[in-house]
């Protein structure tokens, strides 16, 4: 019975993501609470799948990029105005956790069916997606809230440094990952 729950966890989470997004679109003054509630659920679902099945380091490498992307999408929810934009943001907000939880289930419960480095490849694809939504969010914050320009630089440096660190080669040692993160921060400064 418990394996059925874990198997359906990605579907449940995808449906909850759509429900949170629809609630956010219908009640914009509730921002960001429906999205925060979903992110808490998503972290709980990730924790349930990883608990005692992956080491903490492996689990963080595999799940943090998707969490960063969902946070950057959540930040840009207020800037989507047209119907197509809302559909795309909602679709990505539901598809990303669904895909990550599906791959994580295969990794932890059915490793023979898990595609080789599947989560690593998906996490690399999340880097430009997260950077796009982070840029969109900070552009809106700069216009509407008049935040200082250095905040965007710091956010991009931290995001790209973390993304480069987490998406470096799975067999890389800590020294190589630190160098890669330093390069990521330098790239983020230019972006």
């Amino acid at each position: 019975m418990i394996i059925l729950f874990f198997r359906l966890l990605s579907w449940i989470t995808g449906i909850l993501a759509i429900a949170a997004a629809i609630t956010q679109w219908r009640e914009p003054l509730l921002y960001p609470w429906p999205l925060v509630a979903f992110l808490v659920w998503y972290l709980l679902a990730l924790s349930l799948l990883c608990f005692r099945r992956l080491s903490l380091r492996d689990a963080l490498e595999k799940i943090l990029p998707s969490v960063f992307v969902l946070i950057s999408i959540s930040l840009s929810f207020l800037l989507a105005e047209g119907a197509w934009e809302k559909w795309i943001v909602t679709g990505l907000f539901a598809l990303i956790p669904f895909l990550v939880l599906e791959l994580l289930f295969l990794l932890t419960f059915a490793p023979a069916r898990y595609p080789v480095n599947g989560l690593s490849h998906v996490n690399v694809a999340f880097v430009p997606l997260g950077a796009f939504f982070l840029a969109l969010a900070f552009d809106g914050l700069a216009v509407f809230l008049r935040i200082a320009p250095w905040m965007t630089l710091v956010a991009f440096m931290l995001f790209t440094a973390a993304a480069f660190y987490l998406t470096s080669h799975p067999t890389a040692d800590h020294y190589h990952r630190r160098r890669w993160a330093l390069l990521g921060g330098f790239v983020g400064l230019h972006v």
Side-chain angles (χ1 to χ4, degrees), residues 30-58:
L30 289 178
Y31 182 81
W33 300 117
L35 307 175
V36 168
F38 170 74
L39 288 173
V40 168
W41 166 261
Y42 180 58
L43 289 172
L44 178 67
L46 290 170
S47 301
L48 287 173
L49 274 174
C50 293
F51 185 67
R52 292 189 181 172
R53 291 175 192 86
L54 294 174
S55 68
L56 181 62
R57 178 186 167 119
D58 286 343

Side-chain angles (χ1 to χ4, degrees), residues 39 107 175:
L39 288 173
L107 176 66
Y175 177 71

